[in-house]
């Protein structure tokens, strides 16, 4: 009997299988991710954007003068923290008006951070996700582990004021 590997979510398991080449059928990574993504099953647009470079992250941080940036840093084999999806959905649908224009949810493999980014917001070496919140190009909060209430409080207390759209 082989070793048993525990995974936190179906998407983590599917990404592990994809990365290991153990899928018994042909699929591309995006369609595989979409098939296991909760938002994709409901027909909603996913709130989380997975990014793959330190440059894209830096551009998002530079844009945090107008949009609150929440970064989920994960280990490559785990994928982003899908346990937080209900928290993000609740904030987007019930608590924060125009959420998608006021809050940017990003996820990134910890290994892709640049050296200067690692110094700016040190992350744990374990498999727990690290959440970093940026506003005005600075780190305003960090949460270690999937602590939904703490991340939600950081978002709610720091989101930029709502601006009504001109008709």
């Amino acid at each position: 009997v082989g070793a048993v590997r525990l995974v936190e979510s179906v998407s983590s398991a599917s990404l592990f299988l994809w990365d290991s080449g153990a899928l018994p059928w042909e699929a591309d990574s995006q369609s595989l991710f979409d098939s296991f993504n909760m938002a994709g099953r409901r027909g909603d647009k996913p709130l989380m954007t997975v990014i793959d470079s330190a440059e894209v992250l830096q551009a998002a941080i530079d844009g945090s003068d107008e949009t609150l940036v929440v970064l989920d840093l994960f280990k490559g084999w785990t994928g982003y923290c899908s346990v937080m999806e209900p928290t993000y959905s609740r904030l987007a649908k019930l608590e924060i008006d125009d959420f998608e224009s006021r809050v940017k949810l990003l996820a990134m493999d910890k290994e892709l951070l640049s050296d200067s980014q690692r110094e700016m917001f040190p992350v744990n070496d374990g498999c727990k996700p690290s959440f970093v919140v940026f506003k005005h190009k600075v780190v305003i909060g960090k949460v270690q582990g999937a602590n939904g209430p703490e991340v939600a409080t950081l978002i709610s207390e720091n989101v930029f004021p709502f601006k009504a759209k001109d008709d």
Side-chain angles (χ1 to χ4, degrees):
V1 177
V4 176
R5 184 175 275 241
L6 296 177
V7 291
E8 291 182 1
S9 68
V10 172
S11 63
S12 293
S14 63
L15 290 173
F16 169 76
L17 289 171
W18 173 259
D19 289 341
S20 68
L23 287 176
W25 63 90
E26 287 191 34
D28 62 65
S29 60
Q30 188 59 47
S31 64
L32 180 65
F33 175 77
D34 289 344
S35 68
F36 289 103
N37 183 336
M38 288 176 59
R41 286 193 305 240
R42 291 189 308 264
D44 297 339
K45 178 182 172 193
L47 295 170
M48 179 67 67
T49 301
V50 179
I51 59 175
D52 60 1
S53 75
E55 294 79 20
V56 172
L57 174 58
Q58 191 58 52
I61 294 169
D62 291 343
S64 67
D65 282 332
E66 298 175 6
T67 305
L68 190 70
V69 175
V70 180
L71 176 65
D72 171 354
L73 291 166
F74 60 86
K75 286 284 201 182
W77 59 270
T78 64
Y80 75 88
C81 185
S82 61
V83 171
M84 296 295 292
E85 285 179 355
T87 299
Y88 299 144
S89 292
R90 180 178 46 83
L91 289 170
K93 293 180 178 176
L94 303 174
E95 296 182 19
I96 298 176
D97 292 328
D98 201 20
F99 182 87
E100 290 183 24
S101 69
R102 298 169 63 199
V103 179
K104 185 177 285 192
L105 300 174
L106 302 175
M108 181 176 171
D109 183 336
K110 296 174 184 182
E111 298 301 317
L112 299 175
L113 292 172
S114 69
D115 291 338
S116 63
Q117 289 167 338
R118 286 178 202 276
E119 289 177 23
M120 185 181 359
F121 41 92
V123 295
N124 63 348
D125 288 330
C127 62
K128 287 184 180 180
S130 300
F131 297 89
V132 185
V133 181
F134 300 89
K135 186 173 185 178
H136 299 297
K137 301 177 186 156
V138 296
V139 174
I140 60 165
K142 298 177 198 171
V143 177
Q144 297 296 322
N147 186 335
E150 192 172 343
V151 172
T153 299
L154 265 172
I155 293 171
S156 296
E157 291 179 353
N158 293 289
V159 69
F160 285 91
F162 177 71
K163 294 180 185 175
K165 295 178 181 173
D166 296 332
D167 291 318

